[in-house]
Structures are given as C-alpha cells and as structure tokens.
Amino acid sequence: MKNSLLTILISCIILSGCSVNKYIPAGQSLYVGSSVEVTADSITKPNVSGLEGQLEGIIKPPPNKTLLGFPWKVWFYYWIGEPKREGGLKSWFRNKLGEPPRFATQRVVDINAKNMVSFLDNEGYYRSAASGKLVPSKKESRRTSTYEFEAYVMPRYVINEISYVVPDSSLFNRDLVLAKKETYLKKGDPVRLDVISAERNRIDLELKGKGYYYFNPDYLIIKVDSTIGRADSTLGLQQVNLFLEVKKETAQNYLKQYFINRIYVNTGTEENKSADSVSSQPLRRGLNITDPGKLYKRRIFYDAIGFRRGSMYTNTVHDISLQRLVNLQNFRFVRNRFDLVPRSDSALLDVHYDLAPSKKKSIQTSLSASTKSNNLGGSTLDVTWRNKNFFKGAEILSIHAFFGFDVQLGGNRGAGANTIGNEYIRYGASADLAFPRFIIPFVKIRPEKSQALPKTILSINYENRIQRNFYTTTSIRGDWSYLWRKNREVEHTLTPISINFVQPRNINGETLEKILFNPNTNPLDVLRYLTILESKYFIVGSNYSVSYRPTPKPFSRNQFALSGGIDYGGNLLSLFAKRPAADTLPKEFLGVPVFQYIKLDGDIRYYRTVTPGIKWANRLLLGAIKPYGNSKSMLTPQFKQYFAGGSTGIRAFRARSIGPGSIPPDTSRTELFGYQQFGDIRMEFNSEVRMAFTKIINGAVFVDAGNIWAFGDSTRARYDSRGLISRGFMKQLAVGGGIGLRLDFSFLIFRLDLATPFRKPWYNGLADPDNPDDPNKNKNPWVFNEINFGSKAWRKENLILNIAVGLPF
C-alpha cells in the first residue's frame, strides 16, 4: 500500500513538472473539448431530443486528449521530438504515443457553427441558427481552451407530397415515373438530405436496370416548395412539396437505352504477352474468348457471364456476372469495362472482361488454441492443400488434414480415476471437390436468371475422436450436395445423398470397469454409456436447408434472418436391411443397425439499431429429432442430439451441463466424462444489448434461456421422467445472464462473457425416483437469493467466464 501511494505521488510530481506551456506559441492555446447547448423555438417547441449529440459529432477537428486536464499526448509529441526520417522507430513512437497540437481559434469556431446550420437545414430544421465562442481555461497555468456552441432550432419541416415532373411521355419519362412506386420519400416524414440523396441513387439503380447505362443520379434535381407551410406554425407541422425532375442540360444520349453488341473475354495467360501467340476461339453466344494457354473450358464463361448479344444492358446482370467470375476463385482480379460502338446513332455496347489467373495450387497451414467453459483447453493443427481449376472447368479440389487435442486445465487433473475419459485427441482428413454447376441430368440453370452459379460438392470425411483411456469413435462420412441462390436473400442447400458410418472401438476394459463399479455412477447412466459403447450406426439419408436474409430497407432500424432445415434418413436403406434372429431388435445392414429418423431445425434472428452505438440482438433456436419405424426403440446417436450451455448458447451454464428437463448436473459423472447432457429436443432464446464504447472496445448485457428434452420413454431415452418432454416443459427452462466485453479488431472479434444462473430448472422438477427426499424438489428455481459474491464456493460454481472468438449470434 505504501509503495502504491509513493508511486502515485511521484507520478503527480513528474506530471506537474512536465508542462507543455513552453512549447505553445505566445497567444495560442490548445483545443481540449467542446459543448453544445440546443434551445428549441419558444413558440413552436419542436422536438430536439438527441440533437446535441448529433451536433457534437460533426465538430471538427477532434480535441487534444487530456488526463486530469493535462494534455499528455501533446506532451509526448513534443518530448519525443522531430524524427530524422519518416518510418523510423522515433517516428513510430511519436505517432503512437503522441499527437500534434490543435490550437484553438475563433475561425474554427465560426466554421463549425456554419456547419451546424447546414446540418440543421439538411435535417429539415429550416431557418435555425447556431453560434459559438472560444472559452480559455480559468486556470492561467493551463494554456488550453474549449469551444461552446449554442443552437437555436426552429420547427422541422415534413413532406406533404412528392411529384415527378416530366415534359412528355417518352420511354425514358415513363420509366422515370414508374420508379416512383418504391420511393423513400413518404408523406409525413421529415425532409432530410440523406434520404433525398438515397432516393436519387435508388432511381439511378432502377433506371440502370432498364438499360440506361449512361444515366447518373447527378442528372436528377429535387426542388423544395416550403411556401405551403402554415402561416401560424403553432397550428400544425410545417410542410413542403417536393418536385423531382431531370436537369434540362442533360444530354439525350444519357436518356437512351443500350443493348449488348459483343462480349470479349481475355484470360490473361502468359502467352497473351506475345502477339504471335494470341488466338481467339470461335465466336459463340456473342462471347469472344481469348485463351491461348487453353487453361479454361469455355462453358465456365458462358455460365458466369449473364450478358448475351442483343440483350438489354442491366446493372443487375452486370453485378451478377462480376460476382460469379470472382466467386470462381480462379482469378486474382476481374476487370470489366463497356465501350460504346463507334456509330453516331449507336445504342450498342461492347463488353470486355480482362482476367488475371490466380495460382492453381496452394497449401495453407493454421495452428489454433482454445479454452472451453468445461475447463478443457487444447490446440488444433490444420493443413489444407487446394487445387483450383482441377478439370479446367473452375473445379476446386481441397484436401484437408487435422490433428488436435483437449486436456484438463486445473481442477482435478492427475487425481487418478476421477479424470478418466475427460481428455481428447482428434485427428482425421477430408476431401472436397466443388463444381461451379449442377452435376445432375436434365437440369440446366439459366445464367441470366440466377443470382449466383450453383455448386455441386462431393465430400468424404474420416475422423477419429479418442477419449483418452476410455474409447475411440471412428466416423466415415460421404456427402453429395447442391448449393444455389436465386437472389441475394435466399440460399438453398440440398444433400440428396449422405452416408455416415459411426463405430466406437478400442474400448478400455479397465476404465469401463471403474465406471461400472463406481458407486457414484447413476444406473441409468451406466445403461446409457453401455449402449453408446456397443452401438454402431449406418445412416443413409438426405437433408435440405434454406436461409432467408432480407436486405434491410435504407434507414430501417430493423433487420432479421431466418434459417431452417430438415434431415431425414434410413428409409431407403431399411428396405434392404434384414431383421436379426431376435424380432425385437432393429434391422441391420451389413451387420450394422439402420437408424431411421427425421430431424427439424429452425433459427430466427432479429436485430434492432436503437442508436448508432447501441444494437439489440435476439435469437430463437428450435430443433427436434424423432427416431421412428426401425429405430423407434433405439437411442438417438449422440452426434445427432442437442446440448445446451456454452459460449454460444446459454452462457450462464457450462456446455452440456443443462437438462434434459429438470435433471440436475451430475457432478460425479462430470469428473469421469465432463458434462454429457444430451437430448432430442432443443428450445433456446438469447437476447443481448450491444454497446460500442470505442472503435475497438464494445460491451454487452445479455439474457439467455432454454433447455433440452428427450423423446419417448425412459427405456429408450435412458433418462428418467424428469428428462422427458411433458406438458409442463416451460417450467423447466434454465435462465441466465451477464455482461460481456468485446474487442473488435475488424478481422476478428475477441469476446469475454461473464454470466451467472438466474433460474435452475432442477430446483422445480420432479423428485428423483431413486431419492424421494430429493432436496431440490421444493427449492425456488429463481436463485437470486443465493447470489453471494463473497463466497468462493458460490463464485466457483456460478460465475462462468466464456472466452471465444466472434459474436455468439
């Protein structure tokens, strides 16, 4: 304590002696801050809430930073001194630790006051006024000043009506009037310059979608008639009429529709540098393709480029064609230009695409480390080799191999039998071959109609997951999938064939005996894990998923996204399966039980921008898997089930520690396996308010709720009645909340979420059938009365720190 006080005292003495006054020219002072006071018109009394912050936000330049009134960054700037050369170490320290002085002047005050008046005019507060003054510091020892502004705000004008003024009924004028249908300018809305600018850009895009290639939003003018406002503004809102028209000086060529003449594609191969080697392939569909290196099949350009000879130019096809060429991932850059065919009356455009091939083969290696809320930490090494343009049709072959491990951090590591099976090793490999087209007979995609090129992906995966000192799970999976989008908002994924073989093996008999004869192990858990260790699964199924992400309207504060899918399997394979000698057992194919099931999932997200720095985010997750037919009595494979908790779920509970239903976390089993609570049904809701403190530092306050449940009876699900879905399932929801810190580095977001339970569902559940005196039965599930930050035991059990990369949703 004495050392801390001494350090503070010495720091104060040093800072008091480190004055910047000797560096400041005579008669000058440093600008260190500003304030704005907004006064509403006393007669009309307009709503001016939030205006002070908006006006403060447009004040330029930003003030010098101070600490307890001391301009420390300016002091560093002078103390480090002028560097001898730019880019050196001294220059780096000066730019990072210091900042140049910003001297306060009345001229800057007057400029900002004029900018405030312009801002108020642009927001519809016509005839408002603003003034400012420079205020020196009251302490003569400080050579600093602040700016003080006053804004007098008149009533805001709103739109009465918008008219499109056209001189005749020409084709262009008809198209211009038709563009009014989706106007952003609505009756009763304030007159705002940014909305007017957005309206001009919207009309420009709509006209370019009808062939008006040379049109420009600057050719439009919107005139404001404010004379219709009431003479006595206290009787109602001031109103204006808006008149949109094309500027009279606009040339007729800019109001003409254009059509495509020829399309030229140059693949940019090395041979193209020699004039003798340049050769073009025969003209087809209006495309003239120059590819002397013969690196690419012609069809990829027919599919990617939506223009055809004689078709009308549209900005939609223009943008889509560029996106497709870029998404082929075969070119470093794609350059596009349009040339007017040289004729006096021409309305034809030649299209040119200049491409630069990217490197065909590449290898990428990454090493990652992670920690989890169940006290496991580990690392993963990934190596990916990629071959682009594998069959000269922009196909991409990717071969991926990985090795990773998770080990116990702290806790009871090394405590003997109590940690068996709680550490993992993962390794495997996969291969994917992606075609930028549908590989399916009798189906063709018209490039001029689709938003993006469809993809066909063939993949095979092999993975071993070793639960150390316990057993190994081997998984072999093969998929044939199709991905396509009709527009930017809707994306479909269909996997008509998915084959998965899962087998537990290399079971450690000694470990299994310790588990079976451990008096703390629940008998139902013994049965559940014996079933897992003895079960093989052969799953042949199909799945389909769709996501809908509508583009938010300009100036809208609301945004939402929907996604869902269906996964089903076992139907076809069950036809070829044979029933074992015991009729009660499920059918088998090649000696492996066939799993027959249907699975449904849904994800709904809603975001609302409250202010520029505050966003409200919400998510609802729903899912269920139902075994039936051949598998109605089989335990659902764990990799097909759901779990709750963790850094992207209900953050107040550790991963896989909630449910099913009102079953409490099994701490004895946790020491053996880690939390292993899985179920057939999931319902989860998350809500958080995200706040931006600086460009890098953000915060959040969140609440999460949900649980998982099991289908069927206790014999199939291996859980007692507390874990089965029932009519009172809403009373079994787990609820938690907390605060978060996020560091946004643009390329990644580092996240820390500290959470605690608000409601523990096992406090209000059924009594344990094996323990009629279960103390949890009569407890209040809302646990606010248990909060005790002073208790180490409470903090260890109830304060959950989630460390993750990326936002939770």
Side-chain angles (χ1 to χ4, degrees):
M1 184 68 180
K2 292 181 179 180
N3 292 335
S4 299
L5 292 175
L6 182 61
T7 301
I8 295 173
L9 181 61
I10 293 174
S11 299
C12 292
I13 294 173
I14 293 175
L15 288 177
S16 63
C18 297
S19 174
V20 298
N21 292 347
K22 60 182 178 181
Y23 302 112
I24 300 175
Q28 298 283 359
S29 59
L30 292 177
Y31 165 49
V32 294
S34 61
S35 62
V36 178
E37 181 181 350
V38 174
T39 303
D41 179 57
S42 59
I43 299 177
T44 58
K45 297 180 180 179
N47 182 10
V48 295
S49 61
L51 264 182
E52 287 186 358
Q54 295 180 50
L55 292 174
E56 288 177 356
I58 67 172
I59 297 174
K60 303 295 181 185
N64 287 124
K65 294 182 180 179
T66 60
L67 178 63
L68 302 177
F70 176 69
W72 60 278
K73 297 203 76 171
V74 175
W75 179 83
F76 269 115
Y77 181 84
Y78 283 120
W79 181 74
I80 294 174
E82 191 72 29
K84 293 182 179 180
R85 63 183 181 87
E86 287 295 329
L89 186 61
K90 189 174 183 180
S91 175
W92 185 88
F93 273 109
R94 196 186 204 203
N95 293 330
K96 289 296 181 181
L97 299 179
E99 66 181 8
R102 300 184 181 98
F103 298 116
T105 65
Q106 185 61 41
R107 178 176 174 274
V108 174
V109 174
D110 295 338
I111 292 174
N112 277 288
K114 291 180 180 179
N115 291 340
M116 289 181 183
V117 173
S118 298
F119 174 83
L120 293 170
D121 284 342
N122 293 339
E123 291 293 309
Y125 298 99
Y126 299 142
R127 298 183 292 111
S128 297
S131 61
K133 59 182 179 180
L134 188 152
V135 181
S137 173
K138 294 181 180 179
K139 294 183 178 181
E140 296 182 359
S141 60
R142 291 183 180 176
R143 302 275 292 280
T144 60
S145 297
T146 58
Y147 299 157
E148 293 184 0
F149 296 94
E150 294 182 359
Y152 189 81
V153 180
M154 297 298 290
R156 198 174 198 179
Y157 282 72
V158 299
I159 299 171
N160 177 49
E161 65 177 24
I162 170 74
S163 301
Y164 282 33
V165 181
V166 294
D168 53 48
S169 60
S170 66
L171 179 61
F172 173 84
N173 288 330
R174 291 202 303 268
D175 288 335
L176 177 62
V177 173
L178 288 174
K180 182 180 178 181
K181 184 178 180 181
E182 301 294 332
T183 181
Y184 297 155
L185 303 171
K186 306 294 184 181
K187 182 179 178 65
D189 286 354
V191 184
R192 297 175 56 193
L193 180 63
D194 55 353
V195 180
I196 291 175
S197 299
E199 173 71 1
R200 296 202 312 169
N201 292 330
R202 183 194 66 81
I203 295 172
D204 173 60
L205 289 175
E206 188 163 334
L207 291 174
K208 279 188 167 62
K210 296 180 178 181
Y212 299 97
Y213 173 73
Y214 285 106
F215 192 77
N216 190 293
D218 291 336
Y219 302 151
L220 294 173
I221 185 172
I222 296 181
K223 298 177 180 179
V224 180
D225 179 9
S226 61
T227 61
I228 68 167
R230 297 179 183 273
D232 182 358
S233 59
T234 61
L235 299 178
L237 295 173
Q238 295 280 13
Q239 296 180 336
V240 298
N241 285 337
L242 301 181
F243 300 90
L244 182 145
E245 59 186 59
V246 178
K247 294 178 181 178
K248 295 180 180 179
E249 60 271 21
T250 304
Q252 287 301 309
N253 284 343
Y254 302 149
L255 310 181
K256 184 188 297 186
Q257 285 181 324
Y258 287 85
F259 295 82
I260 302 302
N261 182 41
R262 290 193 176 186
I263 303 105
Y264 297 91
V265 179
N266 190 326
T267 61
T269 56
E270 287 293 329
E271 290 81 356
N272 289 339
K273 295 180 179 180
S274 171
D276 295 336
S277 64
V278 174
S279 62
S280 296
Q281 300 181 25
L283 185 67
R284 184 183 174 193
R285 302 186 191 178
L287 272 70
N288 191 323
I289 300 172
T290 302
D291 182 25
K294 297 182 179 180
L295 297 182
Y296 304 99
K297 294 179 179 178
R298 297 168 59 89
R299 67 168 298 169
I300 70 172
F301 303 110
Y302 298 149
D303 291 345
I305 297 173
F307 288 119
R308 294 293 180 262
R309 188 171 188 177
S311 64
M312 180 188 294
Y313 165 85
T314 70
N315 58 338
T316 304
V317 176
H318 178 197
D319 294 340
I320 288 174
S321 300
L322 288 176
Q323 290 176 16
R324 289 171 179 166
L325 289 169
V326 171
N327 291 337
L328 289 175
Q329 301 181 40
N330 270 249
F331 307 103
R332 294 198 310 273
F333 67 81
V334 178
R335 186 175 297 159
N336 172 231
R337 75 177 190 275
F338 293 84
D339 292 339
L340 181 65
V341 174
R343 277 174 23 194
S344 59
D345 61 341
S346 176
L348 298 176
L349 298 171
D350 285 337
V351 190
H352 296 263
Y353 293 95
D354 295 320
L355 314 175
S358 60
K359 192 175 181 180
K360 183 178 181 180
K361 299 177 182 178
S362 63
I363 187 168
Q364 180 179 353
T365 304
S366 65
L367 179 64
S368 62
S370 64
T371 61
K372 302 177 182 179
S373 58
N374 58 356
N375 293 326
L376 288 179
S379 180
T380 302
L381 174 66
D382 290 276
V383 180
T384 302
W385 178 83
R386 182 171 296 175
N387 187 325
K388 302 177 181 178
N389 202 31
F390 189 61
F391 295 124
K392 294 189 176 183
E395 303 87 0
I396 298 177
L397 173 65
S398 299
I399 299 178
H400 171 237
F402 70 92
F403 176 85
F405 62 89
D406 289 309
V407 296
Q408 184 74 33
L409 301 177
N412 294 325
R413 177 170 172 79
N418 286 340
T419 60
I420 53 177
N422 200 20
E423 298 183 340
Y424 303 89
I425 293 176
R426 307 177 308 277
Y427 65 88
S430 64
D432 299 295
L433 181 59
F435 299 83
R437 64 192 69 92
F438 273 145
I439 307 297
I440 184 172
F442 313 115
V443 175
K444 292 184 178 180
I445 296 297
R446 297 180 62 187
E448 63 273 21
K449 297 294 183 181
S450 302
Q451 175 70 30
L453 290 177
K455 287 185 178 181
T456 301
I457 301 177
L458 309 180
S459 63
I460 185 169
N461 300 270
Y462 173 83
E463 180 179 354
N464 272 328
R465 185 174 184 267
I466 302 173
Q467 201 162 345
R468 293 181 62 185
N469 299 321
F470 194 9
Y471 72 101
T472 299
T473 301
T474 299
S475 173
I476 303 174
R477 182 184 181 96
D479 294 315
W480 183 305
S481 303
Y482 300 105
L483 286 78
W484 73 96
R485 285 190 323 190
K486 190 173 182 179
N487 53 51
R488 295 181 179 180
E489 298 181 341
V490 182
E491 183 173 5
H492 306 267
T493 302
L494 173 64
T495 304
I497 301 176
S498 177
I499 303 175
N500 197 2
F501 173 76
V502 181
Q503 176 186 19
R505 58 188 184 86
N506 296 337
I507 300 171
N508 187 316
E510 183 180 350
T511 299
L512 185 59
E513 288 183 6
K514 291 180 180 179
I515 295 171
L516 298 180
F517 297 106
N518 188 331
N520 294 322
T521 305
N522 189 311
L524 278 175
D525 290 334
V526 171
L527 179 60
R528 179 178 177 83
Y529 279 94
L530 283 176
T531 304
I532 291 174
L533 296 176
E534 295 173 355
S535 298
K536 298 178 182 179
Y537 293 97
F538 201 148
I539 301 174
V540 178
S542 304
N543 60 75
Y544 167 76
S545 63
V546 59
S547 64
Y548 174 54
R549 298 178 180 274
T551 303
K553 294 182 178 181
F555 315 109
S556 173
R557 294 186 175 185
N558 302 311
Q559 183 178 357
F560 68 93
L562 306 174
S563 63
I566 179 171
D567 181 9
Y568 59 94
N571 295 340
L572 182 62
L573 195 60
S574 65
L575 299 177
F576 303 97
K578 296 181 179 180
R579 181 78 65 182
D583 291 340
T584 57
L585 296 177
K587 293 180 179 179
E588 295 182 350
F589 181 78
L590 300 179
V592 180
V594 174
F595 184 63
Q596 200 169 1
Y597 69 98
I598 183 169
K599 185 177 183 181
L600 300 173
D601 286 287
D603 184 333
I604 304 173
R605 304 186 185 196
Y606 169 73
Y607 305 91
R608 179 173 177 81
T609 302
V610 182
T611 68
I614 299 178
K615 193 171 186 177
W616 182 32
N618 302 271
R619 179 182 67 177
L620 175 64
L621 290 175
L622 300 171
I625 180 170
K626 175 70 173 177
Y628 68 95
N630 183 64
S631 307
K632 60 184 178 182
S633 61
M634 293 175 62
L635 178 68
T636 305
Q638 200 172 85
F639 60 90
K640 287 288 186 180
Q641 290 185 305
Y642 303 98
F643 68 87
S647 61
T648 59
I650 307 173
R651 286 160 281 184
F653 300 84
R654 292 179 173 85
R656 299 177 293 279
S657 68
I658 305 175
S662 58
I663 290 181
D666 190 340
T667 55
S668 63
R669 193 174 70 206
T670 299
E671 292 179 350
L672 293 172
F673 312 108
Y675 289 108
Q676 296 289 322
Q677 312 285 78
F678 292 88
D680 303 317
I681 304 172
R682 172 179 64 180
M683 183 173 70
E684 184 177 317
F685 175 73
N686 314 94
S687 180
E688 69 178 34
V689 177
R690 299 168 180 169
M691 298 156 285
F693 301 135
T694 68
K695 289 184 178 180
I696 295 179
I697 302 175
N698 301 327
V701 178
F702 57 85
V703 174
D704 305 316
N707 206 334
I708 57 173
W709 295 267
F711 264 130
D713 53 32
S714 297
T715 303
R716 189 203 73 83
R718 309 297 192 264
Y719 290 113
D720 60 48
S721 57
R722 294 172 297 170
L724 305 179
I725 188 73
S726 62
R727 186 174 298 178
F729 72 94
M730 291 296 292
K731 296 180 181 179
Q732 297 176 325
L733 293 180
V735 182
I739 57 176
L741 175 67
R742 288 84 190 271
L743 303 179
D744 188 351
F745 299 106
S746 297
F747 56 91
L748 66 84
I749 298 177
F750 181 72
R751 174 164 58 93
L752 296 172
D753 287 333
L754 182 64
T756 187
F758 296 161
R759 192 179 194 276
K760 296 181 178 180
W762 56 89
Y763 278 10
N764 197 30
L766 301 171
D768 184 346
D770 298 324
N771 183 14
D773 299 325
D774 184 359
N776 290 330
K777 181 181 179 182
N778 298 319
K779 285 187 177 181
N780 186 346
W782 295 99
V783 294
F784 294 109
N785 61 328
E786 294 185 1
I787 295 177
N788 184 4
F789 291 100
S791 169
K792 183 178 180 180
W794 181 90
R795 293 196 305 269
K796 183 178 180 180
E797 180 182 351
N798 295 281
L799 286 184
I800 310 299
L801 178 64
N802 297 277
I803 303 174
V805 175
L807 294 174
F809 54 91

